Each structure stands twice: as structure tokens, then as C-alpha cells.
Amino acid sequence: MEKLVRIKRLTLKNPFIASSGTCGYANVEEIPLHLFGAAVTKTITFTPREGNRPPRLAETPAGLINSIGLQNMGLSAFKTFLQDFVKPTTLLVSVGGETPEEFSSILHELSKYDIIDGFELNLSCPNLRLGGEVVGKDYISVSTILDACVKATNKPILVKLSPFTEELGKILDYWEPLLEGFVLFNTFPAMEIDLKSGQPLLGAVSGGLSGPAIYPIVLNSVYKHKDHTIIASGGIASPQIAQKFILAGAKALEIGTANLWNPEFIKSLVSEEE
Ligand SMILES: Cc1cc2nc3c(=O)[nH]c(=O)nc-3n(C[C@H](O)[C@H](O)[C@H](O)COP(=O)(O)O)c2cc1C
């Protein structure tokens, strides 16, 4: 039996959401996406992006470092893709950009599509004009983007933050009534060194760490902010870890790396729910 989850305006058939970047454009056939309560697309930017130099993935003892670099088809091709797309479950579109205007114009354009149930703003995008710092660095930068976004769409908005966002409590307090919820967190900055060459393993040198290595850190923040509408993201790679996040107060759970390691991982969670 599936367990309905009501966030605010969104009702999901269960609390499990396939994370952005780990299920394509919610169209990866190897993953049974229909079993998830929702699926989030790869982050869409205004123009297409080729992503970072390879290698882009490094395995570590308890997680994965990726430096995909927001490779995606861009807004215009995504609109064409949507025309005959049949969604497997509730569809959330991840949106990225470097400026508030980029975010808001993507939201404005995509709000016309009934197939889209809501948006997830990826505020961990690097702002290349500001030396690669994340666009949602602190209260002011997050709020400037959100001010523009809430005016651009009537669809539910989730905001996905970087783990090092400054003034997190202030952001959650101010924006709680205006948003669907907060996704804590995106990946953690990390790198790996190749012992054979003595050089950084990733083409981009640094990437983002995901997987079980990060879950206790994310759990700590989810518990601390449990009075807000929190969707947990980070290291949910077993039914037991999923249960811990529910106990910590998360309203829903995003699953990322676990889908890459085992495309059928969701089956272990859904049967756990029965
Ligand atoms: C290969 C890969 C690509 C990712 N791409 C994106 C992305 O495009 N946008 C985004 O917001 N997060 C992206 N993420 C982050 C995940 O959505 C997720 O927040 C993070 O990996 C932590 O969850 P996990 O430990 O369950 O993987 C990516 C993660 C991985 C592993």
C-alpha cells in the first residue's frame, strides 16, 4: 500500500523523490520512476551546457564525487522535449541560472506547461561572474532570486540549497510561508587525487560529494530545522537511513546516488512502506 504524503500544495503518492541529475529528464527507463512519489529533472538552464571536462565521476569509500557541471539541453530543447513526454509520476523541473532574471524567465516560460507539477530551484549553481561561488550563498543572494521566482510562477516552488548556505535559519524563517519547501542539501564540495598520476582525479579538479558519507551531516540539519518544511537529500541509500530522515522530521526524501548504484533501489523503499 502506498502512503500519500501532503507537503503543502503537492500531494505525492509516497515520500520518495528521484533527485535531480540522477534520473535524466525524469525519463531514465532503467529506473522504475513510476514507483517514486515524484521525479526531479536534471537542472535546466537558459542555454544548453556541455558540462565539465572528463573524468566527471570519482568513487570514494562511502560516496560519489561528481563534477558533471550542469550539462543539459537548455530551455528551448526542453520545451520541445516536453511536447510528447509522458511523465512517469509527479514531475518537478529543476531550474538553474546565474542571475535572478535567468531563473525567473525559465519559470515564466515553463509555467505554461500543465505536465509540470512544480519547480525545484537549484541554488547551488556556480556564479562564474563571482568566481564560482554558489548563487544562493546567503540570505540576500537567495532572497534576490526567490523574489523574482515567486512572481514568475503560480506553481509550487521547492528551493534546493547548498550545505554551506549562510544564514540558513533566517532564510527558512522568512521564505517558509511563500514556498512549497526546502531541499537540504545539494552535494558537498570535495575532490579526489589519483595516486598513479599524483594529480586531481576529476577533470574539473573539484566536484560534489554525495552518498552515505554525507547523510549524518544532512540528518543533523534536517533535525535542527524540522519545524520547517524540509525535504531531505543526502546519502539516502538504505531503508534504514530513509527511516532516520523521517524520524528526524523530513516531509519527503530525495534519492540520488542510490539510483545510480542500483536503479531498482526504490523497490526496497516501497516494500519497506508496505
Ligand atoms: C551524477 C549527479 C548529478 C547531479 N546533478 C544535479 C543537478 O543537475 N542538479 C541538482 O540540483 N543536483 C544534482 N545532483 C545532486 C543530487 O540531486 C543530490 O542532491 C545529491 O547527490 C545528494 O543526494 P544523494 O546522496 O542521495 O545522491 C547530482 C548528483 C549526482 C550524483
Side-chain angles (χ1 to χ4, degrees):
M1 216 174 55
E2 289 176 330
K3 197 173 152 200
L4 273 188
V5 171
R6 197 135 178 237
I7 304 180
K8 284 182 186 169
R9 291 161 61 199
L10 286 171
T11 301
L12 310 182
K13 66 183 170 196
N14 65 45
F16 308 118
I17 303 176
S19 289
S20 178
T22 64
C23 61
Y25 298 97
N27 65 342
V28 169
E29 282 172 12
E30 292 72 30
I31 304 175
L33 289 170
H34 63 282
L35 296 179
F36 284 86
V40 190
T41 66
K42 178 81 198 155
T43 296
I44 306 293
T45 51
F46 202 78
T47 49
R49 292 213 197 184
E50 286 188 1
N52 288 328
R53 258 185 306 149
R56 295 165 162 196
L57 291 177
E59 289 280 354
T60 73
L64 182 66
I65 308 176
N66 90 81
S67 64
I68 307 294
L70 293 186
Q71 179 185 11
N72 78 97
M73 60 169 82
L75 177 62
S76 166
F78 184 64
K79 282 161 59 176
T80 309
F81 163 83
L82 283 177
Q83 277 166 16
D84 48 16
F85 180 54
V86 179
K87 64 180 169 183
T89 180
T90 300
L91 179 66
L92 303 174
V93 174
S94 172
V95 173
E98 286 195 37
T99 62
E101 294 70 32
E102 274 176 34
F103 276 92
S104 61
S105 49
I106 298 172
L107 291 195
H108 178 72
E109 287 291 313
L110 291 180
S111 290
K112 298 165 193 153
Y113 290 79
D114 290 339
I115 190 174
I116 298 173
D117 297 292
F119 296 107
E120 181 181 274
L121 308 181
N122 176 0
L123 297 195
S124 301
C125 295
N127 187 334
L128 301 176
R129 272 160 266 176
L130 293 179
E133 242 172 24
V134 297
V135 295
K137 180 182 165 299
D138 53 20
Y139 177 74
I140 296 283
S141 51
V142 168
S143 296
T144 313
I145 295 171
L146 294 183
D147 269 329
C149 287
V150 293
K151 290 182 195 129
T153 184
N154 288 321
K155 292 191 193 273
I157 299 178
L158 296 172
V159 172
K160 184 175 184 183
L161 296 163
S162 146
F164 296 128
T165 308
E166 293 160 26
E167 305 169 284
L168 181 59
K170 191 172 166 188
I171 293 169
L172 302 183
D173 284 344
Y174 182 82
W175 286 100
E176 174 73 54
L178 300 161
L179 301 172
E180 184 71 13
F182 304 92
V183 182
L184 305 184
F185 288 115
N186 212 313
T187 54
F188 287 61
M191 74 173 289
E192 181 57 297
I193 294 214
D194 177 14
L195 282 178
K196 277 194 210 125
S197 66
Q199 297 299 315
L201 196 148
L202 296 169
V205 180
S206 294
L209 179 64
S210 61
I214 63 175
Y215 100 76
I217 314 173
V218 180
L219 193 65
N220 189 44
S221 287
V222 170
Y223 187 78
K224 192 166 156 195
H225 298 291
K226 62 179 181 304
D227 294 338
H228 291 282
T229 310
I230 305 296
I231 287 122
S233 166
I236 302 172
S238 72
Q240 292 75 19
I241 298 176
Q243 182 68 22
K244 290 175 194 185
F245 276 103
I246 296 287
L247 291 169
K251 302 284 180 303
L253 311 179
E254 291 204 355
I255 318 294
T257 302
N259 297 324
L260 302 179
W261 285 346
N262 170 14
E264 305 222 321
F265 172 69
I266 183 62
K267 292 187 176 168
S268 68
L269 297 179
V270 177
S271 66
E272 214 38 36
E273 283 280 290
E274 283 171 354

